[in-house]
Amino acid sequence: MKVEKGVTVAMRDGIKISLCVYRPDAPGEFPTLFAASPYQYEMDEVPAYPLFLWRETGPVEWYVSQGYSYVHADVRGSGQSEGEFSFMGLEEQQDYLELIAWIIKQPWCNGRVGGIGQSYYAMAQWLMATYNPPGLACIVPYDGLVDQYRGSNYHGGIYCSYRSVWYTTLRADNQHRPAGKHGRPPMKFDLVGEIINHELDDDFWRERSPYWNLDKIKCPVLSVGHWGKMGLHLRGNIIGYEELKAPKKLVVTGARNTFEAHKMFDQIEFHEKELLPFYDLHLKGKNNGFMEAEPVKIFVRGANVWRAEEEWPPKRATYVPYYLRKGPSGSVTSMNDGGLSAEKPPANEPATSYTYPDWEWVNGVAIMGPDGRVDPVRRVLTFTSAPLDADLEVTGPIVLKLFASSTAIDTQFIVKLTDQQPQDDAARKTGAQPAYVPVSKGWLKASHREKDAARSTPTRPFYTHTDPQPLKPGETYEFDIEVLPVSYVFKKGHRIRLEIAPSDSPATDGVFSHPYHPTQMGSDTFHHDAVHASCIMLPVIR
C-alpha cells in the first residue's frame, strides 16, 4: 500500500484541504473510496478500538488490498486543512464536491468514487450525494442521520447535550498534543452557542440536514443503521431509505449501543459481507446481483436472527393498540405501577398524575435504589402488561397516542419501550426490580405538538418545530408521539413496559440524555378512559 500524507488541494477560495491518500502499490486505475471528517487523518494510526469512537473509517488497508484507493480528507478548519470549521455548512459541502472532482482526475483513479465511513463521514455522504457530483457512483452512509435538528440536537424539540460535549472533545483532540506541544490552531466556530441559539428548526439546521433534499439523490445508496443508536442515527438511516427515489438498500443491525455499532464497522467480515459487494457492483462493475436480492435486511432482536424483507416498513404488520391502564401490574416498583392492556379502558377509569421535580431524583430522573445502585424506574411512571401468552414480534414504526393535561404552559414527554423480563416471587417481595431490555424511545416537547400534515403518516408523526404553542393549564390534549422503529420479539412470559417521564438521565441514556431544565415544575395528568384512551400502537407481525 502506498500512503501519501499531506496532499493538499486548493479550493475555489484558495483554502487548501489536506488529504491522506492510500492506494495499491501497483500500476493502474482504481475505484476510490472517499471519507471526509474533522477527525484528523493523522489519527488513522490509532487502533480501531471502540475506545476511539471517532475512528470510523473502516478497515482502510483491507479495502486497498481489494483493489481500491482510499482518500481521507480533513474537512475545512480541522486537522491539517486550512480555513474555519463550520460543522457541515455550505462551504464544507462545496469542498466535498471539489475534492471528488479532484479525485476523478488523478491517474490512479478509474473515475468512480464511493462514499465510505460512519457517523460524521456518513452524514457527509448524504450531503454530497444531494448534489450528484460527476464521479460519485454510490454512497454507504453507515450510522448516519439526515436531520440534524430531530436526529441529534433537539429530540422532539427537547435539547440534547450530546453535540455540545462532542464539540468540546473534538476541539481538544485537534489542538492538544503531548508534553505541551500543539496541534492545529483553535477551532473558533461556536457550535455550542449556535445549538443553543437555534432551538427551533430553522435555516441553520436545514442547511446542514440532507433530509430536505433526499429526493434529489440519484446515485445508489446502501443505508446501514442500528436498532441501538436511538439517540443519534437510527431514525436517519431508516427515514433516509424511505424517502430516497434512487436505487437503494437498507440494512439494520442488532447493535445495541454506540460501541457495538463501532466495533461492527471495524470488522473486515462485516465489510466483506455487507459493503464490499455493493462497492464492487457500482465502482468496479462486477455483475454480482447484489441489487437483485430483497432490498431490506433487518436483525430481529429478541429472536436474534437476520431476515430479508421486500419493503420497509413491512406492510403485513397489523397495528395493535395497547392501552394505558390504572393497574397495578404488581411486577415493578414505580411511581404508579400502571397497567398496559389490549383491552380498552372503561368510561370511569381514573387518570394518572404526577408532580415534578421529584425530591428523590439525583441524576436526571434516576434515583439511587435501596441497594445503592441506580434505579431508572422507581420514580417515573410505568405502564406494564401482564406476562405474554406467546411470543410477540413488533416490527415497524411506533406511535404513542397520549391524552394529557398539565398545570404548566409546557411540559416534556420522554417515552421508553422496554422488555421487562420474568422475576420470581421471592425477588419481587424483596423490592428488587426485574431485569429489563431497552427496546425503543420517543420524545416530544408539548409546545412542539404541531404536525406537518404533508410529511406525517398515521404511524410516524412529523413535527414542524417552528411555532411552539403554550398549553392551556388544565386542558386535555392528544399528543401523537413518534417512538422510533423496532424489530423485536417479546418472548412468552415477558412483559411489555412503557415508561414516561419529563426527562431522562446520563446514568441510563449516556451522552444522549436531556438536561433537566429548572423551569420544569408542575403536575401532569395522563388520561386513560374510554373517551381518552391513551395507547401505544404496536406493529405486530403475526
Side-chain angles (χ1 to χ4, degrees):
M1 180 172 72
K2 285 187 176 181
V3 181
E4 298 174 274
K5 296 183 178 181
V7 177
T8 59
V9 182
M11 298 291 100
R12 62 214 163 273
D13 55 359
I15 292 296
K16 293 180 180 179
I17 301 299
S18 188
L19 317 172
C20 186
V21 178
Y22 306 88
R23 55 191 179 91
D25 189 8
E29 298 178 348
F30 305 94
T32 302
L33 301 175
F34 175 49
S37 82
Y39 297 144
Q40 307 172 88
Y41 63 72
E42 70 175 274
M43 301 300 184
D44 287 353
E45 298 175 3
V46 170
Y49 297 161
L51 173 64
F52 305 112
L53 285 175
W54 40 262
R55 179 70 165 82
E56 299 167 321
T57 60
V60 175
E61 189 168 0
W62 178 78
Y63 271 110
V64 174
S65 76
Q66 301 301 307
Y68 288 86
S69 297
Y70 193 117
V71 174
H72 186 181
D74 289 345
V75 300
R76 177 178 293 242
S78 72
Q80 302 299 315
S81 292
E82 298 174 350
E84 293 296 334
F85 181 70
S86 65
F87 186 61
M88 297 190 157
L90 292 177
E91 290 291 333
E92 183 179 322
Q93 294 173 38
Q94 189 63 36
D95 292 344
Y96 303 153
L97 312 185
E98 296 189 22
L99 289 170
I100 292 171
W102 178 85
I103 290 170
I104 62 176
K105 292 178 182 177
Q106 300 312 299
W108 39 261
C109 179
N110 73 348
R112 300 182 72 79
V113 174
I116 192 169
Q118 181 178 5
S119 193
Y120 196 106
Y121 300 88
M123 295 184 287
Q125 290 179 67
W126 284 118
L127 284 166
M128 66 181 72
T130 64
Y131 293 91
N132 297 297
L136 184 63
C138 65
I139 61 169
V140 183
Y142 179 100
D143 207 19
L145 61 79
V146 297
D147 187 332
Q148 293 286 356
Y149 185 89
R150 294 164 184 80
S152 173
N153 294 285
Y154 285 91
H155 297 127
I158 302 171
Y159 167 68
C160 176
S161 58
Y162 162 70
R163 187 64 67 187
S164 299
V165 176
W166 170 87
Y167 191 49
T168 299
T169 304
L170 177 72
R171 296 170 82 175
D173 286 351
N174 270 263
Q175 189 174 344
H176 292 176
R177 292 296 183 270
K181 296 182 182 296
H182 293 287
R184 70 158 292 106
M187 301 168 77
K188 297 178 181 178
F189 182 59
D190 184 11
L191 178 58
V192 177
E194 296 292 350
I195 292 171
I196 301 303
N197 290 340
H198 296 277
E199 59 179 317
L200 300 180
D201 185 26
D202 58 16
D203 290 343
F204 177 83
W205 297 117
R206 296 197 176 198
E207 175 183 317
R208 294 161 171 79
S209 297
Y211 171 77
W212 307 98
N213 293 300
L214 288 172
D215 60 343
K216 297 179 181 177
I217 295 176
K218 296 178 181 178
C219 73
V221 178
L222 172 59
S223 179
V224 185
H226 312 276
W227 296 126
K229 291 299 289 288
M230 291 171 280
L232 190 56
H233 293 307
L234 171 64
R235 184 178 183 276
N237 282 109
I238 290 179
I239 201 172
Y241 172 82
E242 291 177 6
E243 299 280 338
L244 283 170
K245 293 179 172 59
K248 58 185 179 180
K249 288 260 191 176
L250 174 66
V251 174
V252 187
T253 82
R256 294 170 295 181
N257 52 50
T258 299
F259 305 101
E260 289 188 0
H262 186 284
K263 184 176 181 180
M264 197 173 291
F265 200 62
D266 295 334
Q267 305 305 307
I268 289 173
E269 293 80 6
F270 184 84
H271 288 262
E272 191 167 33
K273 186 175 182 180
E274 305 294 347
L275 276 68
L276 185 63
F278 182 80
Y279 286 132
D280 281 349
L281 171 63
H282 297 294
L283 299 179
K284 291 185 176 181
K286 286 190 177 182
N287 186 18
N288 56 19
F290 183 80
M291 298 299 286
E292 297 167 15
E294 291 88 344
V296 177
K297 181 179 180 181
I298 58 175
F299 187 84
V300 185
R301 294 181 62 203
N304 298 326
V305 295
W306 284 98
R307 189 171 70 213
E309 295 282 352
E310 291 292 344
E311 77 275 316
W312 180 269
K315 294 178 181 176
R316 69 184 189 281
T318 301
Y319 274 85
V320 177
Y322 277 77
Y323 297 97
L324 281 61
R325 300 297 302 272
K326 189 65 177 177
S329 77
S331 66
V332 64
T333 303
S334 69
M335 270 188 175
N336 65 318
D337 187 24
L340 192 67
S341 173
E343 294 184 11
K344 196 171 182 178
N348 61 349
E349 182 153 304
T352 299
S353 299
Y354 76 114
T355 299
Y356 50 89
D358 187 90
W359 73 277
E360 289 193 62
W361 291 343
V362 294
N363 190 1
V365 300
I367 73 163
M368 301 304 295
D371 58 0
R373 292 183 293 181
V374 172
D375 188 333
V377 297
R378 190 172 293 267
R379 298 300 297 173
V380 303
L381 299 183
T382 61
F383 299 89
T384 311
S385 75
L388 296 172
D389 295 331
D391 290 0
L392 182 73
E393 181 184 333
V394 177
T395 297
I398 299 169
V399 62
L400 172 64
K401 294 185 173 293
L402 187 65
F403 291 90
S405 57
S406 180
T407 61
I409 62 170
D410 204 355
T411 187
Q412 297 180 172
F413 309 116
I414 293 185
V415 177
K416 297 181 181 180
L417 182 66
T418 298
D419 175 0
Q420 183 173 298
Q421 299 178 2
Q423 183 183 44
D424 61 55
D425 291 339
R428 179 90 293 268
K429 289 176 181 177
T430 68
Q433 299 283 38
Y436 68 96
V437 175
V439 176
S440 189
K441 298 178 185 178
W443 310 267
L444 182 62
K445 194 177 185 70
S447 60
H448 286 232
R449 62 193 177 277
E450 179 185 72
K451 288 187 284 187
D452 182 329
R455 296 181 182 273
S456 293
T457 69
T459 57
R460 191 185 68 218
F462 191 98
Y463 320 110
T464 63
H465 299 298
T466 57
D467 185 25
Q469 294 295 319
L471 301 175
K472 293 181 180 179
E475 183 170 320
T476 299
Y477 297 83
E478 179 181 352
F479 300 94
D480 290 343
I481 302 175
E482 176 189 19
V483 179
L484 293 177
V486 300
S487 184
Y488 193 91
V489 173
F490 293 88
K491 291 290 190 177
K492 178 181 179 181
H494 291 217
R495 299 171 185 254
I496 304 170
R497 187 172 80 204
L498 183 69
E499 304 163 21
I500 306 177
S503 187
D504 50 22
S505 170
T508 53
D509 296 77
V511 295
F512 304 122
S513 60
H514 305 79
Y516 197 96
H517 197 275
T519 61
Q520 289 180 253
M521 295 184 289
S523 295
D524 292 350
T525 298
F526 301 105
H527 304 272
H528 38 83
D529 53 55
V531 176
H532 306 99
S534 296
C535 64
I536 186 166
M537 302 293 295
L538 298 180
V540 174
I541 302 291
R542 301 294 184 184

